[in-house]
């Protein structure tokens, strides 16, 4: 006899727990429970049968895995939250009794929790954290643009602004920017960090207001987690490229609205090993021989200072402990590669950085830009410097500009105002203006997305700009200055193409007219209406513009107006519509989210809808057949 199952002890009842029961079990408030779930990455689950999971009750409830709640019960952050609750009671009591010394002592020993262990749990590898910083960057840039007030502290906004600037500094220093898209929501950037594509959204520099219906406390909990994650990630990224983190901030430049120019990037300087103020005397016994930390440091120092041959000699000369069994080491003989063109030597970080950069990374290196005062300086300074260009701006846009407006090295001026005829211009100013190229801001973004320098004439001052397409889709960009086409040849080719198209249309019209005249002699097989309907059917199947044009000509020859032709095409497209795999997948996903009762009702509705569509198609076919017979009779009588 099998083991008897008790009601409420196994199955969905045991696997799931409601939110109210979870709060009661953890003995915390609803706000603390939400904070714990956000920090630990625990979210509600949907059981297959809510009634069984809720012990027979059909009342609406949120469910969690019971194991997740048991996992939260041992969380150190929960312990700190309980201590903070007790601290708040003691502090309020001391303030009520006017015990100022006790209150000050309590405030100094205020319990504070750390999220380091949570970051290590959620991101066991560094590459996992890099893959998951998209949302963190979007949140950081959002809070950096919000105004400080009652709901947001000034320190929080400044911390977000600093993290945003540190990320932009790293991207422009490593030239990792790949794509940029100026949308209505804001500016989408995409950078390549450690072979991972990181996409984030930056709002425009307008006055932002926090909506009253938004729960800022939930967003602040996410922000707390994201700030900790980005602190770890930025430290690792900066130290990998040999930079000091956090970068020093010049307070004077920051007050002058210098932006990312207020930060100074410094390389890491290694401390000399001769000054050992606190020597480490720790020794380790390996196979009967004592090896100290000093021996290890000296061996590492000798390896780093010598050449490749000296490295091999020093490694062979290090005394090793006697082995238990004598073994003969095999000699490594490097074999030359069969293909001389392939370099099989191992690349180091220094050798890789000395290699010539790709075109996209050094796109604006030969050019120097000057931003007009109506241009958003932080956006385009970041874009231009990320591609290797030099940029300057007027004093009204902020301090710290390395260039003056009259600098002779300026090649491009980014301007976004209509063309105005200047009077009283000197010859020197006119010569300088003719030497420079005045382009609109979209040119910078399109060049980065295309990976090459586009023609400046399409983006000149006062010109109607080409469409700014999303770089996350495949589009053909405007022609570049490197492969500039010949305008005369293009004009000749377009004229020839137009003539050929006109001749083809005339031939098609003549053929359709001849078929109309010979329709009575050849019978129903050469009827122009049949030909028009066949052409329309071909359009619905192939969806080719040329076929659509041919169908229009055939319908015109048959005496059909354009409105009727469009209706016929629309009807045939509806009939020949075959649901794609994407539609089927979406329908299956929607069905999975329904209950059994809702799914059955949905299937009944779809069945009746298909039945009604089949009847309508049948009636439409009969009506078309009758109309054709009436037209044939009218033609015969005529």
């Amino acid at each position: 006899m099998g083991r008897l199952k008790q009601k409420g002890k196994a199955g969905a009842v045991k696997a799931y727990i409601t939110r109210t029961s979870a709060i009661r079990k953890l003995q915390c408030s609803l706000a603390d429970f939400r904070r714990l779930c956000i920090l630990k990455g625990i979210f509600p689950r949907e059981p297959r049968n809510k009634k069984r999971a809720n012990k027979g009750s059909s009342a609406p409830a949120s469910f969690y895995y019971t194991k997740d709640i048991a996992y939260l019960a041992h969380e150190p952050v929960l312990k700190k939250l309980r201590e903070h609750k007790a601290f708040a009671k003691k502090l309020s009591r001391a303030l009520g009794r006017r015990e100022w010394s006790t209150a000050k002592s309590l405030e100094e020993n205020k319990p504070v929790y750390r999220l380091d262990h949570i970051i290590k749990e959620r991101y066991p590898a560094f590459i996992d954290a890099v893959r998951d910083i998209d949302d963190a960057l979007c949140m950081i840039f959002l809070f950096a643009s919000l105004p400080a007030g009652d709901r947001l502290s000034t320190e929080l906004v400044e911390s977000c602004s600093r993290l945003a600037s540190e990320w932009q500094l790293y991207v422009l220093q490593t030239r990792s920017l790949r794509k940029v898209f100026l949308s209505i929501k804001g500016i989408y950037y995409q950078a390549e960090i450690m072979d991972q594509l990181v996409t984030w959204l930056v709002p425009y520099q307008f006055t932002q207001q926090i909506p009253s219906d938004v729960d800022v406390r939930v967003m602040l909990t996410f922000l707390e987690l994201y700030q900790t994650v980005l602190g770890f990630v930025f430290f690792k990224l900066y130290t990998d490229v040999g930079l000091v983190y956090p970068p020093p901030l010049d307070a004077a430049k920051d007050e002058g609205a210098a932006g990312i120019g207020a930060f100074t990037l410094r390389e890491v300087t290694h401390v000399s090993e001769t000054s050992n103020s606190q020597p480490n005397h720790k020794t380790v016994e390996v196979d009967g021989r004592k090896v100290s930390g000093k021996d290890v440091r000296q061996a590492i120092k000798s390896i780093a200072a010598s050449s490749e041959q000296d490295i091999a000699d020093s490694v062979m000369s290090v005394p090793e402990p006697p082995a238990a069994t004598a073994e003969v080491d095999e000699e490594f003989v490097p074999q030359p590669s069969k293909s001389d063109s392939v370099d099989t030597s191992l690349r180091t970080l220094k050798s890789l950085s000395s290699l010539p950069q790709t075109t996209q990374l050094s796109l604006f290196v030969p050019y120097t830009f000057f931003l007009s005062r109506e241009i958003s300086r932080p956006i385009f300074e970041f874009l231009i410097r990320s591609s290797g260009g030099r940029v300057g701006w007027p004093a009204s846009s902020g301090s710290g500009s390395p260039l003056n407006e009259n600098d002779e090295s300026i090649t491009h001026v980014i301007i976004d105002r209509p063309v105005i005829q200047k009077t009283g211009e000197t010859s020197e100013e006119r010569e300088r203006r003719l030497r420079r190229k005045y382009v609109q801001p979209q040119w910078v973004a399109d060049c980065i997305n295309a990976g090459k320098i586009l023609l400046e004439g399409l983006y000149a001052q006062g010109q109607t700009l080409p469409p700014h397409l999303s770089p996350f889709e495949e589009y053909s960009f405007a022609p570049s200055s490197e492969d500039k086409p010949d305008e005369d040849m293009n004009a000749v080719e377009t004229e020839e193409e137009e003539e050929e198209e006109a001749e083809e249309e005339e031939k098609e019209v003549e053929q359709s007219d001849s078929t109309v005249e010979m329709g009575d002699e050849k019978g129903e097989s050469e009827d122009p209406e049949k030909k028009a309907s066949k052409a329309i059917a071909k359009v619905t199947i192939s969806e080719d513009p040329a076929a659509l044009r041919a169908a229009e000509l055939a319908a015109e020859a048959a005496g059909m107006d354009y409105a009727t032709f469009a209706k016929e095409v629309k009807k045939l497209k509806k009939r020949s519509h075959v649901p794609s795999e994407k539609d089927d997948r979406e329908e299956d996903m929607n069905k999975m989210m329904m209950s059994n009762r809702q799914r059955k009702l949905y299937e009944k509705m779809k069945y009746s809808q298909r039945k009604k569509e089949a009847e309508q198609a049948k009636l439409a076919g009969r009506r078309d057949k009758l109309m054709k017979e009436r037209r044939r009779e009218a033609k015969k009588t005529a």
Side-chain angles (χ1 to χ4, degrees):
M1 183 177 178
R3 186 177 179 181
L4 295 176
K5 291 184 178 180
Q6 296 180 359
K7 187 176 181 181
K9 299 290 185 180
V13 179
K14 187 178 180 181
Y16 295 95
I17 186 173
T18 60
R19 188 179 66 179
T20 306
S21 302
I23 293 173
R24 192 182 302 116
K25 185 176 182 180
L26 296 176
Q27 298 180 2
C28 63
S29 62
L30 178 60
D32 291 342
F33 178 74
R34 285 176 177 169
R35 180 178 296 181
L36 282 172
C37 290
I38 291 172
L39 296 178
K40 298 291 289 185
I42 295 173
F43 49 90
R45 304 288 181 166
E46 188 73 17
R48 291 185 177 179
N49 195 327
K50 287 186 177 181
K51 195 172 182 180
R52 289 181 183 177
N54 206 8
K55 299 179 181 179
S57 175
S58 58
S62 300
F63 295 92
Y64 293 85
Y65 280 145
T66 307
K67 290 185 177 180
D68 289 344
I69 303 304
Y71 180 55
L72 283 180
H74 304 283
E75 175 58 38
V77 176
L78 179 60
K79 182 180 177 182
K80 288 290 183 181
L81 291 175
R82 290 170 180 165
E83 291 178 1
H84 189 275
K85 189 176 181 180
F87 155 77
K89 289 181 179 179
K90 293 178 183 178
L91 183 62
S92 62
R93 187 185 302 116
L95 293 175
R97 294 176 179 178
R98 297 180 179 274
E99 297 175 354
W100 310 119
S101 60
T102 306
K104 184 178 180 181
S105 177
L106 287 171
E107 184 65 29
E108 291 175 354
N109 298 320
K110 180 180 178 180
V112 179
Y113 62 84
R114 297 179 63 86
L115 303 179
D116 300 355
H117 64 285
I118 295 180
I119 304 303
K120 293 177 182 178
E121 289 174 3
R122 296 188 65 173
Y123 307 108
F126 177 69
I127 197 68
D128 298 332
V130 174
R131 292 194 194 102
D132 202 35
I133 63 171
D134 294 0
D135 294 338
L137 291 172
C138 294
M139 184 75 78
I140 288 295
F141 278 94
L142 172 63
F143 274 86
S145 63
L146 293 179
D150 298 336
R151 307 175 73 181
L152 293 178
S153 63
T154 307
E155 293 78 9
L156 182 66
V157 176
E158 290 178 354
S159 175
C160 293
S161 301
R162 184 181 180 91
L163 286 172
S165 300
E166 289 172 357
W167 171 253
Q168 288 184 329
L169 274 174
Y170 175 79
V171 171
L172 66 88
Q173 177 68 19
T174 57
R175 298 186 186 177
S176 306
L177 188 66
R178 296 294 177 267
K179 295 178 181 178
V180 58
F181 180 53
L182 309 174
S183 70
I184 298 176
K185 289 182 179 180
I187 308 163
Y188 287 91
Y189 297 101
Q190 189 177 83
E192 186 177 358
I193 309 296
M194 298 181 67
D195 296 333
Q196 302 295 325
L197 294 178
V198 180
T199 308
W200 70 98
L201 175 64
V202 179
Y204 290 110
Q205 291 180 321
F206 298 129
T207 303
Q208 306 290 341
Q209 296 293 334
I210 304 175
S212 58
D213 57 343
V214 174
D215 192 356
V216 183
R217 293 176 299 173
V218 177
M219 298 181 68
L220 289 177
T221 306
F222 278 103
L223 182 65
E224 184 182 8
L225 177 67
Y226 291 154
Q227 282 180 322
T228 312
V229 173
L230 292 179
F232 278 98
V233 173
F234 291 173
F235 177 80
K236 174 68 173 171
L237 292 176
Y238 269 73
T239 52
D240 282 351
V241 295
L243 297 175
V244 175
Y245 183 82
L249 175 64
D250 191 346
K253 290 184 178 179
D254 189 32
E255 291 177 359
I260 56 178
F263 292 87
T264 306
L265 292 176
R266 295 180 182 175
E267 295 185 357
V268 178
T269 56
H270 299 281
V271 181
S272 60
E273 297 184 8
T274 56
S275 59
N276 295 326
S277 58
Q278 296 179 355
N280 187 7
H281 299 287
K282 185 177 179 180
T283 59
V284 180
E285 187 173 351
V286 180
D287 295 335
R289 181 178 178 271
K290 291 183 179 181
V291 180
S292 65
K294 186 177 180 181
D295 298 333
V296 175
R297 286 195 298 271
Q298 287 180 354
I300 294 173
K301 185 178 178 182
S302 61
I303 290 173
S306 59
S307 61
E308 292 185 359
Q309 186 63 31
D310 295 333
I311 289 172
D313 296 337
S314 63
V315 171
M316 294 299 294
S317 63
V318 171
E320 295 185 358
T325 57
E327 295 180 357
V328 179
D329 293 337
E330 296 181 358
E331 273 193 17
F332 175 74
V333 180
Q335 298 291 337
S337 175
K338 294 181 180 179
S339 58
D340 296 336
S341 60
V342 179
D343 187 9
T344 58
S345 60
L346 293 175
R347 297 285 188 185
T348 61
L349 183 60
K350 192 172 182 180
S351 62
L352 288 173
S353 61
S354 63
L355 291 175
Q357 295 177 335
T358 60
T359 308
Q360 188 172 8
L361 300 182
S362 57
L363 191 64
F364 296 143
V365 168
Y367 307 111
T368 303
F369 297 83
F370 188 82
L371 304 178
S372 186
R373 64 174 181 269
E374 70 275 2
I375 303 300
S376 180
R377 180 184 66 83
I379 297 172
F380 289 93
E381 180 190 3
F382 172 65
L383 293 178
I384 294 170
R385 291 181 61 185
S386 297
S387 299
R390 296 177 67 232
V391 60
W393 54 87
S396 59
S397 299
S399 62
S401 175
L403 301 172
N404 192 8
E405 187 176 3
N406 299 326
D407 198 312
E408 297 297 331
S409 63
I410 296 175
T411 58
H412 292 76
V413 177
I414 311 299
I415 191 168
D416 194 11
R417 63 178 81 165
V419 180
I420 300 174
Q421 296 294 336
K422 291 186 177 181
T423 58
E425 188 179 17
T426 62
S427 60
E428 184 181 357
E429 291 176 351
R430 184 174 181 276
E431 183 182 355
R432 187 189 304 122
R433 179 174 55 83
L434 294 175
R435 187 167 60 249
R436 297 174 180 176
K437 295 181 180 179
Y438 291 79
V439 293
Q440 299 185 47
Q442 184 182 328
W443 179 78
V444 178
D446 288 351
C447 286
I448 293 175
N449 296 333
K452 56 185 178 181
I453 301 298
L454 303 178
L455 292 174
E456 292 87 352
L458 300 173
Y459 302 87
Q461 182 183 4
Q463 294 289 333
T464 302
L465 292 171
H468 180 57
L469 304 176
S470 172
F472 305 103
E473 300 291 339
E474 292 295 332
Y475 297 109
S476 59
F477 292 93
S480 65
S481 58
E482 298 173 359
D483 47 3
K484 186 175 180 180
D486 192 353
E487 297 179 357
D488 298 336
M489 293 295 294
N490 281 345
V492 172
E493 290 175 0
T494 52
E495 289 177 0
E496 291 177 355
E497 289 176 358
E498 289 177 358
E499 291 177 358
E500 290 176 0
E501 289 177 0
E503 291 176 1
E504 288 179 358
E505 290 178 2
E506 290 177 0
K507 288 181 181 178
E508 289 175 355
V509 172
E510 291 175 359
Q511 290 177 1
S512 62
D513 292 341
S514 62
T515 54
V516 170
E517 293 174 358
M518 299 175 64
D520 296 335
E521 299 177 0
K522 292 188 178 181
E524 295 180 359
S525 61
E526 296 295 332
D527 192 6
E529 290 187 2
K530 273 195 172 184
K531 188 173 181 182
S533 61
K534 287 180 181 179
I536 294 171
K538 288 180 181 179
V539 170
T540 57
I541 295 172
S542 63
E543 296 184 358
D544 188 15
L548 179 63
R549 179 62 180 165
E552 286 181 7
L553 293 171
E556 186 180 353
M560 186 185 299
D561 58 339
Y562 183 77
T564 309
F565 170 75
K567 287 181 181 179
E568 292 292 330
V569 171
K570 191 174 181 181
K571 287 178 184 178
L572 287 173
K573 281 187 177 181
K574 284 185 178 179
R575 292 177 196 170
S576 62
H577 175 67
V578 180
S580 61
E581 295 182 0
K582 185 178 180 181
D583 298 337
D584 294 340
R585 286 198 301 269
E586 289 182 358
E587 189 175 357
D588 293 340
M589 291 294 293
N590 293 334
K591 285 184 179 180
M592 288 172 62
M593 300 300 294
M594 298 179 185
S595 62
N596 292 333
R597 184 178 179 183
Q598 292 173 343
R599 193 181 300 112
K600 289 178 182 178
L601 181 61
Y602 175 75
E603 289 176 355
K604 285 182 182 179
M605 291 171 60
K606 294 295 288 184
Y607 174 75
S608 61
Q609 187 178 358
R610 286 194 296 268
K611 191 175 181 181
K612 192 178 292 185
E613 288 177 354
E615 290 177 357
Q616 290 177 356
K618 189 176 181 181
L619 292 173
R622 288 181 181 178
R623 183 186 62 190
D624 294 341
K625 189 175 181 181
L626 290 173
M627 293 294 293
K628 289 178 182 178
E629 289 178 357
R630 288 178 184 176
R631 287 174 184 170
R632 290 192 198 112
E633 289 176 0
K635 285 181 181 179
K636 287 179 181 179
T637 55

